[in-house]
Amino acid sequence: AGTLSEISMSAWLNKDMVVYLDGVTEPEIPSWTLGCLDGATYVNSIDEAIALYKKRAKSLIKKARK
């Protein structure tokens, strides 16, 4: 129930979230989770997730400076 609440609240508040599912493939993810992760970016490793967030952070900084 805790995970459901956390993911639902993050989705409702339009906040970024990272869901780490070690050893779970995308088709195995429960449907309620996929509903909260509309437009999600799936990565295969924590290194890919870090690189993605660094890229997004640079983009946000660039927009803020304009």
Side-chain angles (χ1 to χ4, degrees):
T3 301
L4 172 59
S5 298
E6 292 164 352
I7 291 174
S8 298
M9 182 65 76
S10 293
W12 185 69
L13 294 173
N14 199 30
K15 298 288 184 179
D16 284 345
M17 67 181 110
V18 174
V19 180
Y20 182 68
L21 302 169
D22 188 27
V24 178
T25 61
E26 190 176 335
E28 297 173 308
I29 300 172
S31 59
W32 66 264
T33 307
L34 293 174
C36 292
L37 301 174
D38 184 39
T41 301
Y42 297 91
V43 296
N44 294 313
S45 70
I46 193 68
D47 292 329
E48 283 185 50
I50 291 169
L52 176 67
Y53 271 92
K54 283 182 179 180
K55 182 177 178 182
R56 288 184 181 177
K58 286 179 184 178
S59 176
L60 290 172
I61 291 168
K62 192 180 283 188
K63 283 182 184 180
R65 289 183 178 164
K66 288 183 178 182

Coordinates of all heavy atoms in Angstrom, one line a residue:
A1 N 0.8 -1.2 0.0 CA 0.0 0.0 0.0 C 0.9 1.3 0.0 O 0.5 2.3 -0.6 CB -0.9 0.0 1.2
G2 N 2.0 1.2 0.7 CA 2.9 2.4 0.7 C 3.4 2.8 -0.7 O 3.4 3.9 -1.1
T3 N 3.8 1.8 -1.5 CA 4.3 2.0 -2.8 C 3.2 2.6 -3.7 O 3.4 3.6 -4.4 CB 4.8 0.8 -3.5 OG1 5.9 0.3 -2.7 CG2 5.3 1.0 -4.9
L4 N 2.0 2.1 -3.6 CA 0.8 2.6 -4.3 C 0.6 4.1 -4.0 O 0.4 4.9 -4.8 CB -0.4 1.8 -4.0 CG -1.8 2.3 -4.6 CD1 -1.7 2.4 -6.1 CD2 -2.9 1.4 -4.2
S5 N 0.6 4.4 -2.7 CA 0.3 5.8 -2.2 C 1.4 6.7 -2.8 O 1.1 7.8 -3.2 CB 0.3 5.8 -0.7 OG -0.8 5.1 -0.2
E6 N 2.7 6.3 -2.6 CA 3.8 7.1 -3.1 C 3.8 7.4 -4.6 O 3.9 8.5 -5.0 CB 5.1 6.5 -2.7 CG 5.3 6.5 -1.2 CD 6.4 5.5 -0.8 OE1 6.9 4.8 -1.6 OE2 6.8 5.5 0.4
I7 N 3.5 6.4 -5.4 CA 3.5 6.6 -6.8 C 2.3 7.4 -7.2 O 2.4 8.3 -8.0 CB 3.5 5.2 -7.5 CG1 4.9 4.5 -7.3 CG2 3.2 5.3 -9.0 CD1 5.0 3.1 -7.9
S8 N 1.1 7.1 -6.6 CA -0.1 7.9 -6.9 C 0.1 9.3 -6.6 O -0.3 10.2 -7.4 CB -1.3 7.3 -6.2 OG -1.5 6.0 -6.6
M9 N 0.6 9.6 -5.4 CA 0.8 11.0 -5.0 C 1.8 11.7 -5.9 O 1.6 12.9 -6.3 CB 1.3 11.1 -3.5 CG 1.5 12.5 -3.0 SD 0.0 13.4 -2.9 CE -0.7 12.7 -1.4
S10 N 2.9 11.1 -6.3 CA 3.9 11.7 -7.2 C 3.2 12.0 -8.5 O 3.4 13.1 -9.1 CB 5.1 10.8 -7.4 OG 5.8 10.7 -6.2
A11 N 2.4 11.1 -9.0 CA 1.7 11.3 -10.3 C 0.7 12.4 -10.2 O 0.6 13.3 -11.1 CB 1.0 10.0 -10.8
W12 N 0.0 12.5 -9.1 CA -1.0 13.5 -8.9 C -0.4 14.9 -8.8 O -0.9 15.9 -9.3 CB -1.8 13.2 -7.6 CG -3.0 14.1 -7.4 CD1 -4.1 14.2 -8.1 CD2 -3.1 15.1 -6.3 NE1 -4.9 15.2 -7.6 CE2 -4.3 15.7 -6.5 CE3 -2.2 15.4 -5.3 CZ2 -4.7 16.7 -5.6 CZ3 -2.7 16.4 -4.4 CH2 -3.9 17.0 -4.6
L13 N 0.8 15.0 -8.2 CA 1.5 16.2 -8.0 C 2.3 16.6 -9.2 O 3.0 17.6 -9.2 CB 2.3 16.2 -6.7 CG 1.5 16.1 -5.4 CD1 2.5 15.9 -4.2 CD2 0.7 17.4 -5.2
N14 N 2.4 15.7 -10.2 CA 3.2 15.9 -11.4 C 4.7 16.0 -11.0 O 5.4 16.8 -11.6 CB 2.7 17.1 -12.2 CG 3.2 17.0 -13.6 OD1 3.4 15.9 -14.2 ND2 3.4 18.2 -14.2
K15 N 5.1 15.2 -10.1 CA 6.5 15.2 -9.7 C 7.3 14.0 -10.4 O 6.7 13.0 -10.6 CB 6.6 15.0 -8.2 CG 6.0 16.1 -7.3 CD 6.8 17.3 -7.4 CE 6.2 18.4 -6.5 NZ 7.0 19.6 -6.5
D16 N 8.5 14.3 -10.6 CA 9.3 13.2 -11.2 C 9.5 12.1 -10.1 O 9.5 12.4 -8.9 CB 10.7 13.7 -11.5 CG 10.8 14.5 -12.8 OD1 9.8 14.4 -13.6 OD2 11.8 15.2 -13.1
M17 N 9.6 10.9 -10.6 CA 9.8 9.8 -9.7 C 10.7 8.8 -10.4 O 10.8 8.7 -11.6 CB 8.5 9.2 -9.2 CG 7.8 8.5 -10.3 SD 6.2 7.8 -9.7 CE 5.1 8.8 -10.5
V18 N 11.4 8.1 -9.6 CA 12.2 7.0 -10.1 C 11.7 5.7 -9.4 O 11.6 5.6 -8.2 CB 13.7 7.2 -9.7 CG1 14.5 5.9 -10.1 CG2 14.3 8.4 -10.3
V19 N 11.4 4.8 -10.2 CA 10.9 3.5 -9.7 C 11.9 2.4 -10.2 O 12.1 2.2 -11.4 CB 9.5 3.1 -10.3 CG1 9.0 1.8 -9.8 CG2 8.5 4.2 -9.9
Y20 N 12.6 1.8 -9.2 CA 13.6 0.9 -9.5 C 13.0 -0.5 -9.3 O 12.7 -0.9 -8.2 CB 14.8 1.1 -8.6 CG 16.0 0.2 -8.9 CD1 16.7 0.3 -10.1 CD2 16.3 -0.8 -8.0 CE1 17.7 -0.6 -10.3 CE2 17.4 -1.7 -8.2 CZ 18.1 -1.5 -9.4 OH 19.1 -2.4 -9.7
L21 N 12.9 -1.3 -10.4 CA 12.4 -2.6 -10.4 C 13.5 -3.6 -10.8 O 13.6 -3.9 -12.0 CB 11.1 -2.7 -11.3 CG 10.0 -1.7 -10.9 CD1 9.0 -1.8 -12.0 CD2 9.4 -2.1 -9.6
D22 N 14.3 -4.0 -9.9 CA 15.4 -4.9 -10.3 C 14.8 -6.3 -10.7 O 14.1 -6.9 -9.9 CB 16.3 -5.1 -9.0 CG 17.5 -5.8 -9.4 OD1 18.0 -5.8 -10.5 OD2 18.1 -6.5 -8.4
G23 N 15.2 -6.7 -11.9 CA 14.8 -8.0 -12.4 C 13.4 -8.1 -12.9 O 12.9 -9.2 -13.2
V24 N 12.7 -7.0 -13.0 CA 11.3 -7.0 -13.5 C 11.3 -6.4 -14.9 O 11.9 -5.3 -15.1 CB 10.4 -6.2 -12.6 CG1 9.0 -6.2 -13.1 CG2 10.4 -6.8 -11.2
T25 N 10.7 -7.0 -15.8 CA 10.7 -6.5 -17.2 C 9.4 -5.6 -17.3 O 8.4 -5.8 -16.5 CB 10.6 -7.6 -18.2 OG1 9.5 -8.4 -18.0 CG2 11.9 -8.4 -18.2
E26 N 9.4 -4.8 -18.3 CA 8.2 -3.8 -18.5 C 6.9 -4.6 -18.5 O 5.9 -4.1 -17.9 CB 8.5 -3.0 -19.7 CG 7.5 -1.8 -19.8 CD 7.8 -1.0 -21.0 OE1 9.0 -0.9 -21.5 OE2 6.9 -0.3 -21.5
P27 N 6.8 -5.7 -19.3 CA 5.5 -6.4 -19.3 C 5.0 -6.9 -18.0 O 3.8 -7.2 -17.8 CB 5.7 -7.5 -20.3 CG 6.9 -7.1 -21.1 CD 7.7 -6.3 -20.2
E28 N 5.9 -7.1 -17.0 CA 5.6 -7.6 -15.7 C 5.1 -6.5 -14.7 O 4.7 -6.9 -13.6 CB 6.8 -8.4 -15.1 CG 7.2 -9.6 -15.9 CD 8.5 -10.2 -15.4 OE1 9.5 -9.5 -15.2 OE2 8.5 -11.4 -15.1
I29 N 5.3 -5.3 -15.1 CA 4.9 -4.2 -14.2 C 3.4 -4.2 -14.0 O 2.6 -4.2 -15.0 CB 5.4 -2.8 -14.7 CG1 6.9 -2.9 -14.9 CG2 5.0 -1.7 -13.8 CD1 7.5 -1.6 -15.6
P30 N 2.9 -4.1 -12.8 CA 1.4 -4.1 -12.6 C 0.8 -2.9 -13.3 O 1.3 -1.8 -13.4 CB 1.3 -3.9 -11.1 CG 2.6 -4.3 -10.5 CD 3.6 -4.0 -11.5
S31 N -0.4 -3.2 -13.8 CA -1.1 -2.2 -14.6 C -1.4 -0.9 -13.9 O -1.4 0.2 -14.4 CB -2.4 -2.7 -15.2 OG -3.3 -3.2 -14.1
W32 N -1.7 -0.9 -12.5 CA -2.0 0.3 -11.8 C -0.7 1.2 -11.8 O -0.8 2.4 -11.8 CB -2.4 0.0 -10.4 CG -1.4 -0.6 -9.5 CD1 -1.3 -2.0 -9.2 CD2 -0.4 0.0 -8.7 NE1 -0.2 -2.2 -8.4 CE2 0.3 -1.0 -8.0 CE3 0.0 1.3 -8.6 CZ2 1.4 -0.7 -7.2 CZ3 1.1 1.6 -7.7 CH2 1.8 0.6 -7.1
T33 N 0.5 0.6 -11.8 CA 1.7 1.3 -11.8 C 1.9 2.0 -13.1 O 2.2 3.2 -13.2 CB 2.9 0.4 -11.5 OG1 2.7 -0.3 -10.3 CG2 4.2 1.2 -11.4
L34 N 1.6 1.3 -14.2 CA 1.7 1.9 -15.6 C 0.8 3.1 -15.7 O 1.1 4.0 -16.4 CB 1.5 0.8 -16.6 CG 2.5 -0.3 -16.7 CD1 2.1 -1.4 -17.7 CD2 3.9 0.2 -17.1
G35 N -0.4 3.0 -15.1 CA -1.3 4.1 -15.2 C -0.8 5.4 -14.6 O -1.0 6.5 -15.0
C36 N 0.0 5.2 -13.5 CA 0.6 6.4 -12.9 C 1.9 6.8 -13.6 O 2.4 7.9 -13.3 CB 1.0 6.0 -11.4 SG -0.4 5.8 -10.4
L37 N 2.4 6.0 -14.4 CA 3.7 6.3 -15.1 C 3.5 6.7 -16.6 O 4.3 6.4 -17.4 CB 4.6 5.1 -15.0 CG 5.0 4.6 -13.6 CD1 5.8 3.4 -13.6 CD2 5.7 5.7 -12.8
D38 N 2.4 7.3 -16.9 CA 2.1 7.8 -18.2 C 3.2 8.6 -18.7 O 3.6 9.6 -18.1 CB 0.8 8.5 -18.3 CG 0.4 8.9 -19.7 OD1 0.6 8.1 -20.6 OD2 -0.2 10.0 -19.8
G39 N 3.7 8.3 -19.9 CA 4.8 9.1 -20.4 C 6.2 8.8 -19.8 O 7.1 9.5 -19.9
A40 N 6.3 7.7 -19.1 CA 7.5 7.3 -18.4 C 8.6 7.0 -19.4 O 8.4 6.6 -20.5 CB 7.3 6.1 -17.5
T41 N 9.8 7.2 -18.9 CA 11.0 6.8 -19.7 C 11.6 5.5 -19.0 O 11.9 5.6 -17.8 CB 12.1 7.9 -19.6 OG1 11.5 9.1 -20.2 CG2 13.3 7.5 -20.4
Y42 N 11.7 4.5 -19.7 CA 12.3 3.2 -19.1 C 13.8 3.1 -19.4 O 14.2 3.3 -20.6 CB 11.5 2.0 -19.7 CG 10.1 2.0 -19.3 CD1 9.1 2.6 -20.1 CD2 9.6 1.5 -18.1 CE1 7.8 2.7 -19.7 CE2 8.3 1.5 -17.7 CZ 7.4 2.1 -18.6 OH 6.1 2.1 -18.2
V43 N 14.5 2.8 -18.4 CA 16.0 2.7 -18.6 C 16.4 1.3 -18.1 O 15.6 0.7 -17.3 CB 16.8 3.8 -17.9 CG1 16.5 5.1 -18.5 CG2 16.5 3.8 -16.4
N44 N 17.5 0.8 -18.5 CA 17.9 -0.5 -18.1 C 18.9 -0.6 -17.0 O 19.3 -1.7 -16.5 CB 18.6 -1.2 -19.3 CG 17.5 -1.5 -20.4 OD1 16.4 -2.0 -20.1 ND2 17.8 -1.1 -21.6
S45 N 19.3 0.6 -16.5 CA 20.3 0.6 -15.4 C 20.2 1.9 -14.6 O 19.7 2.9 -15.2 CB 21.7 0.4 -15.9 OG 22.2 1.5 -16.6
I46 N 20.8 1.9 -13.4 CA 20.8 3.1 -12.7 C 21.7 4.2 -13.3 O 21.5 5.4 -13.3 CB 21.3 2.8 -11.2 CG1 21.0 4.1 -10.3 CG2 22.7 2.4 -11.1 CD1 19.6 4.4 -10.1
D47 N 22.7 3.7 -14.0 CA 23.6 4.6 -14.7 C 22.9 5.4 -15.8 O 23.1 6.6 -16.0 CB 24.8 3.9 -15.3 CG 25.8 3.4 -14.3 OD1 25.9 4.0 -13.2 OD2 26.4 2.3 -14.5
E48 N 22.0 4.7 -16.5 CA 21.1 5.3 -17.6 C 20.2 6.3 -16.9 O 20.0 7.4 -17.5 CB 20.3 4.3 -18.3 CG 21.1 3.5 -19.4 CD 20.2 2.6 -20.2 OE1 19.1 3.1 -20.7 OE2 20.5 1.4 -20.3
A49 N 19.7 6.0 -15.8 CA 18.8 6.9 -15.1 C 19.5 8.2 -14.6 O 19.0 9.3 -14.8 CB 18.1 6.3 -13.8
I50 N 20.7 8.1 -14.1 CA 21.5 9.2 -13.7 C 21.8 10.1 -14.9 O 21.7 11.3 -14.9 CB 22.8 8.7 -13.0 CG1 22.4 8.1 -11.6 CG2 23.8 9.9 -12.8 CD1 23.5 7.4 -11.0
A51 N 22.2 9.5 -16.0 CA 22.5 10.2 -17.2 C 21.3 11.0 -17.7 O 21.4 12.2 -18.1 CB 23.1 9.3 -18.3
L52 N 20.1 10.3 -17.7 CA 18.9 11.0 -18.1 C 18.6 12.2 -17.2 O 18.3 13.3 -17.7 CB 17.7 10.0 -18.0 CG 16.4 10.5 -18.3 CD1 16.2 10.9 -19.8 CD2 15.3 9.5 -18.0
Y53 N 18.7 12.1 -15.9 CA 18.4 13.2 -15.0 C 19.5 14.3 -15.2 O 19.1 15.5 -15.1 CB 18.3 12.7 -13.6 CG 16.9 12.3 -13.2 CD1 16.5 11.0 -13.4 CD2 16.0 13.3 -12.8 CE1 15.2 10.7 -13.1 CE2 14.7 12.9 -12.6 CZ 14.3 11.6 -12.7 OH 13.0 11.3 -12.5
K54 N 20.7 14.0 -15.4 CA 21.7 15.1 -15.7 C 21.3 15.8 -17.0 O 21.4 17.1 -17.0 CB 23.1 14.4 -15.8 CG 23.7 14.0 -14.5 CD 25.1 13.5 -14.7 CE 25.8 13.1 -13.4 NZ 27.1 12.6 -13.6
K55 N 20.9 15.1 -18.0 CA 20.5 15.8 -19.2 C 19.3 16.7 -19.0 O 19.3 17.8 -19.5 CB 20.2 14.7 -20.3 CG 19.8 15.2 -21.6 CD 19.6 14.1 -22.6 CE 19.2 14.6 -24.0 NZ 18.9 13.5 -24.9
R56 N 18.3 16.2 -18.3 CA 17.1 17.0 -18.0 C 17.5 18.2 -17.1 O 17.0 19.3 -17.3 CB 16.1 16.2 -17.3 CG 15.4 15.2 -18.2 CD 14.3 14.4 -17.5 NE 13.7 13.4 -18.3 CZ 12.8 12.6 -18.0 NH1 12.3 12.6 -16.7 NH2 12.3 11.7 -18.8
A57 N 18.4 18.1 -16.2 CA 18.8 19.2 -15.3 C 19.5 20.2 -16.2 O 19.2 21.4 -16.0 CB 19.8 18.7 -14.2
K58 N 20.4 19.9 -17.1 CA 21.0 20.8 -17.9 C 20.0 21.6 -18.8 O 20.1 22.8 -19.0 CB 22.1 20.1 -18.8 CG 23.3 19.7 -18.1 CD 24.3 19.0 -19.1 CE 25.5 18.5 -18.3 NZ 26.4 17.8 -19.2
S59 N 19.0 20.9 -19.3 CA 18.0 21.5 -20.1 C 17.2 22.5 -19.3 O 16.9 23.6 -19.7 CB 17.1 20.4 -20.7 OG 16.0 21.0 -21.4
L60 N 16.9 22.2 -18.0 CA 16.1 23.1 -17.2 C 16.9 24.3 -16.8 O 16.4 25.4 -16.8 CB 15.7 22.4 -15.9 CG 14.6 21.3 -16.1 CD1 14.4 20.6 -14.8 CD2 13.3 22.0 -16.5
I61 N 18.2 24.1 -16.6 CA 19.1 25.3 -16.2 C 19.2 26.2 -17.4 O 19.1 27.4 -17.3 CB 20.5 24.8 -15.8 CG1 20.4 24.1 -14.5 CG2 21.5 25.9 -15.8 CD1 21.6 23.3 -14.1
K62 N 19.3 25.6 -18.6 CA 19.4 26.4 -19.9 C 18.1 27.2 -20.0 O 18.2 28.4 -20.4 CB 19.6 25.5 -21.0 CG 20.0 26.2 -22.3 CD 20.3 25.3 -23.5 CE 21.6 24.6 -23.3 NZ 22.0 23.8 -24.5
K63 N 17.0 26.6 -19.8 CA 15.7 27.3 -19.9 C 15.6 28.5 -18.9 O 15.1 29.5 -19.2 CB 14.5 26.4 -19.8 CG 14.2 25.5 -21.0 CD 13.0 24.6 -20.7 CE 12.8 23.7 -21.9 NZ 11.6 22.8 -21.6
A64 N 16.0 28.2 -17.7 CA 15.9 29.2 -16.6 C 16.8 30.4 -16.9 O 16.5 31.5 -16.5 CB 16.3 28.5 -15.3
R65 N 17.9 30.2 -17.6 CA 18.8 31.3 -17.9 C 18.3 32.2 -19.0 O 18.8 33.3 -19.2 CB 20.2 30.8 -18.2 CG 20.9 30.2 -17.0 CD 22.3 29.7 -17.4 NE 22.9 29.2 -16.2 CZ 24.0 28.5 -16.2 NH1 24.6 28.2 -17.3 NH2 24.5 28.1 -15.1
K66 N 17.3 31.8 -19.8 CA 16.8 32.6 -20.9 C 15.9 33.7 -20.4 O 15.2 33.7 -19.5 CB 16.1 31.7 -21.9 CG 17.1 30.8 -22.7 CD 16.3 30.0 -23.7 CE 17.3 29.2 -24.5 NZ 16.7 28.5 -25.5

